[in-house]
């Protein structure tokens, strides 16, 4: 990795051994920045506070070797990344304003893609992970992870049934608890539909009636106007001397017809005047028919107004903004469908109740399968972790699991008991530790010291390495609270783990650092104004001096040097 302008680190290159790398240095030197850098490369949260004061941005670049065909490679290629001689090149930039950019294999990618790769590439463990192991949910997750497909298969089916059961229960509860409200809604809809059915409106009927009412209300004026217009066009029989439009047009046509043979232009005009005469005759005939058909019946007008009033009442109640009968008919259609739904509540309650009971029965069977798989895996897991603890200076410690259920009358039936259930089954899983013979097994949250918890955490991860391996393990001061022989055993076990995976450890313990294939020192120098950090590989005399400092706080102490040389020699001999 290359790290620039991150925290106290100005510009440093970190070359990790393919085996066991120990990162050491004084408190505050920036060792944690190495862990933070790897976290950023793997999609960790970006924070503007990480950017070195005075810098525009912080940059972390890394080269991670990955086996051909690995899941991480497939996902990276899907994102458009290209491998560089079997390795993924990853870059992460964090600006002083907090903006973040990520590049993978030469392509810009969302940060989430890096996070997806993390689980396949690196297992990171720190003191916060130890605290996480104290939570029952994390202990169940650890057991399920170890059990593998034996739990994963039933858990998928259980989760599907659980989600469906929750949905059914919510719908059933809504129908039952809102029964009164739904009944009132049904009564209101039924009343409204009855009102609409009594009137029987037609689409656009209100428009048609408005036009008819307007016509009936002005029948006398309309008749007088139509009669006058007809007389003007076709003449009035009671006034033989009167001049009408039809007579005048006919006279004009006769005048042109007499000379049409002498000029085609006048012939065309004569034809057009003939067309006008025909049109005048048609209009005059329609005016006569209109006047004859016009109904001035006051009874019909009264009936129309009553019908319009009934339609207006409906549109005010049920129309869209009281606009028209079409919206009333649309409301009636929706309301009829809703009423059918509400009237079917009893039938729906029966259906949902039957489905709920069937799902509870199914869930109980799946929960039993999960419990059986967890109990079987717990025995193997506990035995494997106990064996690892023996190699971590806890030869008499015993680890076990307490898998229990809680009685709940509203739960599901498992093994003849009705127990509480959740999204992951009915089991409460708790990791127990008996640190020495005669000690009762107690929850690790209560029965383990800080050093014991560190070793339990390491033992759990080593067991996982044999069943669900990842290429790289990063331990950030998980050896806190440990010293003496236990520290030596932790170093020895980490070295053994490094034979099958890459192991990176940030540590204060010389007993652990001595077992490393490569030791990196993170150190600060001060130029009077800006603190800079560098990372260098320790070899020979430099490594002896650093181990002496870690042992006694004095790099030049002859006693500390002798102890450091002895510790390093013993570690090499053990390897």
């Amino acid at each position: 990795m290359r790290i620039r302008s991150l925290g106290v680190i100005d510009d440093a290159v970190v070359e990790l051994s393919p085996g066991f790398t120990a990162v050491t240095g004084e408190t505050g030197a920036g060792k944690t920045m190495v862990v933070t850098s790897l976290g950023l490369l793997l999609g960790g949260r970006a924070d503007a506070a990480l950017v070195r004061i005075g810098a525009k941005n912080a940059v972390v670049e890394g080269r991670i070797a990955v086996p051909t065909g690995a899941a991480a490679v497939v996902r990276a290629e899907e994102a458009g990344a290209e491998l560089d001689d079997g390795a993924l090149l990853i870059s992460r930039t964090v600006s002083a304003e907090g903006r973040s950019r990520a590049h993978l294999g030469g392509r810009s990618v969302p940060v989430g893609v890096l996070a997806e790769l993390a689980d396949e590439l690196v297992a990171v463990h720190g003191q916060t992970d130890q605290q996480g192991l104290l939570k029952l949910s994390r202990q169940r997750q650890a057991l399920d992870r170890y059990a593998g497909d034996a739990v994963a298969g039933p858990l998928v089916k259980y989760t599907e049934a659980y989600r469906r059961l929750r949905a059914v229960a919510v719908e059933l509860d809504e129908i039952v608890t809102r029964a009164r409200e739904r009944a009132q809604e049904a009564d209101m809809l039924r009343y409204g539909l009855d009102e609409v059915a009594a009137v029987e409106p037609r689409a656009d009927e209100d428009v048609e009636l408005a036009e008819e009412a307007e016509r009936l209300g002005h029948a006398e004026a309309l008749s007088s106007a139509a009669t006058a217009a007809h007389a003007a066009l076709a003449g009035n029989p009671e006034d033989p001397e009167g001049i009408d439009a039809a007579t005048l047009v006919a006279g004009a046509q006769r005048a042109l017809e007499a000379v049409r043979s002498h000029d085609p232009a006048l012939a065309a005009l004569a034809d057009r005047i003939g067309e006008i005469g025909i049109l005048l005759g048609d209009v005059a005939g329609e005016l006569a028919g209109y006047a004859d058909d016009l109904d001035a019946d006051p009874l019909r007008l009264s009936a129309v107004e009553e019908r319009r009033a009934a339609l207006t009442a409906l549109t005010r109640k049920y129309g869209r903004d009281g606009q028209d009968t079409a919206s009333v008919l649309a409301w009636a259609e929706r309301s009829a469908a809703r009423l059918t739904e509400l009237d079917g509540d009893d039938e729906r309650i029966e259906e949902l109740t039957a489905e709920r009971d069937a799902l509870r029965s199914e869930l109980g069977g799946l929960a039993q399968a999960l419990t059986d798989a967890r109990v079987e895996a717990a025995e193997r897991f506990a035995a494997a972790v106990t064996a690892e603890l023996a190699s971590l200076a806890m030869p008499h410690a015993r680890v076990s699991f307490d898998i229990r259920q809680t009685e709940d009358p509203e739960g599901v039936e498992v093994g003849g008991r009705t127990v509480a259930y959740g999204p992951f089954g009915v089991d409460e899983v708790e990791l127990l530790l008996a640190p020495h013979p005669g000690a009762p097994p107690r929850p690790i949250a209560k029965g383990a010291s800080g050093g014991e918890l560190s070793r339990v955490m390491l033992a759990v991860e080593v067991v996982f390495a044999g069943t669900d391996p990842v290429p790289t393990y990063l331990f950030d001061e998980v050896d806190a609270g440990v010293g003496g022989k236990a520290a030596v055993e932790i170093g020895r076990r980490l070295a053994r783990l490094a034979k099958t995976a890459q192991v990176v450890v940030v540590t204060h313990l010389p007993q652990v650092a001595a077992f490393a294939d490569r030791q990196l020192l993170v150190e600060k120098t001060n130029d009077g104004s800006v603190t800079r950090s560098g990372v260098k590989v320790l070899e020979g005399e430099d490594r002896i001096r650093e181990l002496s400092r870690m042992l006694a706080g004095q790099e030049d102490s002859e006693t500390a040097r002798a102890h450091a040389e002895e510790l390093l020699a013993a570690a090499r001999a053990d390897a």
Side-chain angles (χ1 to χ4, degrees):
M1 291 189 298
R2 184 179 183 185
I3 309 167
R4 286 179 289 169
S5 302
L6 185 72
V8 296
I9 297 181
D10 180 28
D11 193 344
V13 175
V14 180
E15 296 185 20
L16 303 176
S17 164
F20 182 4
T21 301
V23 182
T24 63
E26 292 281 3
T27 299
K31 299 187 299 299
T32 301
M33 286 297 104
V34 176
V35 179
T36 301
S37 299
L38 188 55
L40 286 173
L41 286 182
L42 297 172
R45 188 176 67 88
D47 188 346
L50 295 173
V51 180
R52 184 177 173 82
I53 296 176
K56 293 182 178 180
N57 51 48
V59 180
V60 183
E61 301 166 310
R63 187 175 189 274
I64 301 181
V66 287
T68 303
V73 173
V74 174
R75 181 65 187 94
E77 290 177 341
E78 288 175 352
E82 296 181 2
L83 268 64
D84 178 33
D85 193 20
L88 279 174
L89 300 182
I90 305 177
S91 173
R92 184 83 181 274
T93 303
V94 181
S95 72
E97 291 78 27
R99 293 188 297 273
S100 170
R101 297 196 310 273
H103 289 80
L104 175 66
R107 290 294 184 89
S108 177
V109 297
V111 174
V113 173
L114 302 186
E116 291 178 28
L117 301 180
D119 291 340
E120 302 291 337
L121 297 175
V122 180
V124 181
H125 297 286
Q127 295 186 57
T128 55
D129 296 278
Q130 292 183 20
Q131 297 304 313
L133 190 61
L134 300 180
K135 299 178 181 178
L136 297 187
S137 61
R138 288 288 295 274
Q139 294 173 24
R140 177 193 51 74
Q141 291 172 10
L143 177 59
D144 288 355
R145 176 183 165 194
Y146 179 81
D149 291 340
V151 165
L155 186 57
V156 169
K157 296 179 181 178
Y158 177 92
T159 301
E160 292 175 356
Y162 174 81
R163 288 174 179 168
R164 178 56 189 160
L165 176 57
R166 298 302 300 166
V168 168
V170 168
E171 184 178 355
L172 183 59
D173 182 65
E174 179 184 0
I175 293 176
V176 172
T177 57
R178 293 184 55 201
R180 177 177 297 178
E181 295 178 16
R182 294 168 71 90
Q184 291 174 346
E185 182 185 357
D187 287 342
M188 291 179 63
L189 290 176
R190 194 174 289 108
Y191 178 81
L193 288 170
D194 287 344
E195 277 197 307
V196 173
V199 176
E200 295 184 340
R202 293 181 290 102
D204 299 326
E205 183 182 2
D206 50 348
V207 177
E208 297 171 2
L209 289 174
E211 294 175 354
E212 185 178 359
E214 184 73 12
R215 189 165 58 249
L216 290 172
H218 299 82
E220 185 176 344
L222 292 172
S223 178
S224 176
T227 300
H230 178 269
L233 293 179
N236 186 351
E238 297 179 359
D239 184 13
E241 301 298 328
I243 300 175
D244 58 81
T247 302
L248 293 174
V249 170
Q253 185 180 16
R254 285 195 300 274
L256 294 180
E257 285 291 339
V259 294
R260 65 178 298 155
S261 61
H262 303 301
D263 188 345
L266 280 180
L269 291 174
D271 290 340
R272 290 171 63 187
I273 291 175
E275 293 173 0
I276 293 173
I278 294 172
L279 181 60
L280 283 175
D282 291 343
V283 173
E286 290 183 19
L287 285 171
Y290 177 85
D292 290 340
D293 294 339
L294 191 62
D295 187 3
D297 185 0
L299 294 179
R300 175 56 186 167
L301 177 60
S302 176
V304 168
E305 293 296 351
E306 287 181 7
R307 180 67 177 172
R308 291 184 68 199
L311 293 177
T312 300
L314 284 183
T315 54
R316 284 175 179 172
K317 283 187 177 181
Y318 309 112
R320 184 178 63 251
D321 300 326
Q323 289 181 354
D324 51 41
T325 55
S327 61
V328 173
L329 294 172
W331 175 87
E333 183 178 355
R334 294 193 304 270
S335 298
R338 175 60 174 165
L339 184 59
T340 299
E341 178 185 337
L342 293 173
D343 285 342
D345 274 358
D346 291 341
E347 182 179 346
R348 184 60 178 156
I349 288 174
E350 291 180 6
E351 293 175 356
L352 290 173
T353 301
E355 185 177 3
R356 180 198 61 190
D357 294 343
L359 285 168
R360 277 185 173 175
S361 178
E362 179 185 356
L363 213 61
L366 292 170
Q368 183 66 65
L370 280 174
T371 300
D372 294 342
R374 284 170 176 154
V375 169
E376 189 277 331
E379 295 179 359
R380 293 186 290 109
F381 192 18
V385 174
T386 296
E388 284 298 328
L389 289 177
S391 66
L392 294 173
M394 295 178 68
H396 304 296
R398 293 291 180 271
V399 167
S400 60
F401 279 94
D402 178 20
I403 300 177
R404 59 184 181 271
Q405 298 81 35
T406 302
E407 299 280 351
D408 184 352
E410 299 298 323
V412 297
E413 186 173 339
V414 178
R417 300 163 56 213
T418 304
V419 297
Y421 64 98
F424 303 102
V426 298
D427 304 315
E428 294 179 27
V429 177
E430 189 163 28
L431 186 61
L432 307 179
L433 174 68
H436 52 80
R442 300 183 63 195
I444 57 173
K446 301 177 181 178
S449 65
E452 288 171 340
L453 184 58
S454 296
R455 281 176 279 178
V456 171
M457 182 71 183
L458 178 57
V460 167
E461 198 53 59
V462 169
V463 170
F464 280 146
T467 58
D468 186 20
V470 293
T472 300
Y473 293 87
L474 174 61
F475 296 95
D476 183 14
E477 298 188 16
V478 296
D479 49 18
V482 179
K485 183 179 179 180
V488 173
E489 294 300 332
I490 287 178
R492 181 177 289 119
R493 193 63 191 87
L494 288 170
R496 203 177 309 160
L497 178 61
K499 294 184 183 300
T500 57
Q502 183 181 42
V503 177
V504 182
V505 179
V506 178
T507 182
H508 285 289
L509 294 179
Q511 298 95 324
V512 172
F515 280 90
D517 301 314
R518 176 177 296 170
Q519 184 172 348
L520 301 179
L521 173 65
V522 181
E523 60 181 354
K524 292 190 298 186
T525 59
N526 198 319
D527 61 2
S529 60
V530 179
T531 300
R532 300 177 180 271
S533 286
V535 181
K536 65 180 181 179
V537 179
L538 298 180
E539 296 178 347
E541 180 63 23
D542 289 338
R543 189 169 186 184
I544 296 295
R545 285 175 57 83
E546 173 63 7
L547 289 174
S548 299
R549 182 198 64 78
M550 297 173 73
L551 281 164
Q554 301 176 2
E555 297 91 336
D556 300 321
S557 166
E558 290 300 324
T559 301
R561 286 178 56 83
H563 190 184
E565 291 172 351
E566 180 183 0
L567 189 62
L568 196 57
R572 288 171 176 168
D574 187 87

